Amino acid sequence: VDFPDKIDLSHSTTFKKLVWQAAQTIPYGQTRSYAWIAKRIGNPSAARAVGQALRENTCPILIPCHRVISISGALGGFSSGPQMKQLLLNMERNEE
């Protein structure tokens, strides 16, 4: 799902902007790992910092941080809890 409006990220650090922009490229119904985002933004050792940046995401619907999981396949964190993260992922995959 694409949203027509741009998000104002001017209040954020460059690192957070890169992380959030990378998260926005994850297609609906798919997931990527924290390590995938770290590599995509040119900082492959920053997977943990990616998680911290996603934790500070204040627009979780527009910046779909729920689509980011651990490289092992574990859900990882989510501001609304792991059950909500799983619910959103299932909904996107039509696995309600």
Side-chain angles (χ1 to χ4, degrees):
V1 176
D2 292 322
F3 294 94
D5 297 326
K6 298 215 182 259
I7 302 169
D8 178 12
L9 303 176
S10 62
H11 66 284
S12 303
T13 66
T14 300
F15 181 80
K16 287 179 191 173
K17 288 178 197 176
L18 290 171
V19 168
W20 295 342
Q21 289 166 350
Q24 288 180 291
T25 69
I26 303 169
Y28 185 88
Q30 296 183 23
T31 59
R32 300 292 186 270
S33 70
Y34 298 99
W36 179 87
I37 288 183
K39 288 177 192 169
R40 184 162 180 121
I41 66 171
N43 198 342
S45 63
R48 193 174 291 257
V50 165
Q52 292 301 314
L54 291 172
R55 185 172 135 199
E56 296 181 31
N57 172 17
T58 59
C59 302
I61 298 300
L62 300 177
I63 301 171
C65 54
H66 65 280
R67 296 181 188 152
V68 184
I69 62 173
S70 159
I71 200 163
S72 70
L75 286 180
F78 188 61
S79 61
S80 298
Q83 295 87 0
M84 181 58 73
K85 186 172 188 172
Q86 187 65 64
L87 178 73
L88 289 168
L89 291 172
N90 289 348
M91 184 178 65
E92 288 188 9
R93 295 176 182 152
N94 293 315
E95 298 175 1
E96 297 176 62

